[in-house]
Each structure stands twice: as C-alpha cells, then as structure tokens.
Amino acid sequence: MPDSDSPRATRLLPDTLHQVAKPGTAVVRLETTHERQGVLDGAWWPRSRDIAAELPALITALTEYLGPVTRIGLDATAWEELPTRLIVDDRVVHIDSFPVGDDTVLVTRGEADHFSLLVVPPHAAPEAARAAMAEAVRADNITQAAQILIDTGTGRVEPGT
C-alpha cells in the first residue's frame, strides 16, 4: 500500500521567459522553484475574455506539470458568460466565480492545493505582458496582481474608454 504521506513529485516548468508564444497556445508561467513564497504562483495571458475558449488550454498546460486540476476560481466581472463547470480532457473542472476584481485566477489541484495566477488582460502589448508575467513569478514578489498590472502598463481597459 502506498504511503499517503509521501510527497508528490511535481515537475518544474521550464524557464522560457523569452520564448515566443504561438497563436493558439496557452501562455502561462509558473514560479520555477519548489518553494512558493511569493504572493502569486504564476501568470496567465489569455487571448480573449471567452472563458470557454481560453480555459481548456490553461487547464491542459497546468495538468501536464501539476497533475489534475479540480477547480478554478475566477473574477465574474472579468469574463464573458461563466459556466459552472467544464469538461477538459475527459475530466470535470468546477468553475467558481466571485465579484472580486482582483486580476487573478485560483487553481485548485486535488482537494486543497491552491495556486494563484495573475491574469494579464488579453489586450496587453507583448512587452508589457512579459514584464507583468516576469514580476508575478519572482520568488520574492510581494506585489498584488492589480499593482503589477498598473506598474507594467497592462491594466484593465474600462468599458467605454
């Protein structure tokens, strides 16, 4: 019988900050250390606010390195029509929505292992998006998501502006 207290082997993501993102792929960076001490664990740069189109690629990318994703928490005001669940790679992923406006997505692996990702707005310029993502994955980062977006010029575009 396997020891349930043994640590789970987690693969670290390759550090590819300067790799060019190709259209149609999930753009995500995670802190590439075993210690998770920063405010954020990573960053995600979706191409649109259509969660049904964007989320499957993120979940597939994260599952490869973290294991099965069971739940995603999102800011309800930042996305178009949020479903309560999606089926990705034959697995049900529950979607929680909150009206928090905090520019993050919360990823749950297993029962209680959480990862907090900065969400870079789809309209962000590539250089600003890369700067925001690099800041989010710094191991010693203590800056909140909204401030990172302000500091890097990638903040939300308000309707009508």
Side-chain angles (χ1 to χ4, degrees):
M1 184 163 124
D3 181 4
S4 62
D5 293 330
S6 63
R8 183 185 184 289
T10 300
R11 292 177 33 203
L12 297 177
L13 287 163
D15 190 3
T16 55
L17 177 63
H18 301 292
Q19 181 176 331
V20 177
K22 297 176 185 170
T25 60
V27 178
V28 64
R29 293 212 3 106
L30 289 176
E31 181 179 340
T32 55
T33 65
H34 285 288
E35 302 202 14
R36 295 166 55 198
Q37 298 176 4
V39 171
L40 298 162
D41 299 302
W44 175 41
W45 185 19
R47 294 179 315 261
S48 74
R49 292 292 182 184
D50 179 356
I51 202 66
E54 299 296 331
L55 201 53
L58 174 66
I59 292 169
T60 298
L62 291 175
T63 297
E64 181 180 345
Y65 291 95
L66 302 177
V69 172
T70 57
R71 189 169 294 277
I72 298 288
L74 299 163
D75 174 12
T77 62
W79 300 96
E80 301 167 1
E81 300 183 32
L82 285 176
T84 57
R85 67 186 182 144
L86 288 174
I87 297 176
V88 179
D89 300 328
D90 296 323
R91 298 182 64 93
V92 174
V93 178
H94 297 276
I95 311 294
D96 297 322
S97 60
F98 308 97
V100 293
D102 67 354
D103 302 301
T104 64
V105 59
L106 298 176
V107 177
T108 304
R109 171 182 71 182
E111 293 297 316
D113 194 9
H114 302 283
F115 296 85
S116 179
L117 306 179
L118 165 77
V119 178
V120 177
H123 70 272
E127 284 301 314
R130 281 192 287 275
M133 294 173 88
E135 181 65 21
V137 298
R138 267 194 22 241
D140 62 347
N141 173 48
I142 58 168
T143 308
Q144 297 295 321
Q147 190 62 50
I148 290 173
L149 295 179
I150 291 167
D151 292 348
T152 58
T154 56
R156 281 192 193 161
V157 173
E158 298 298 323
T161 60

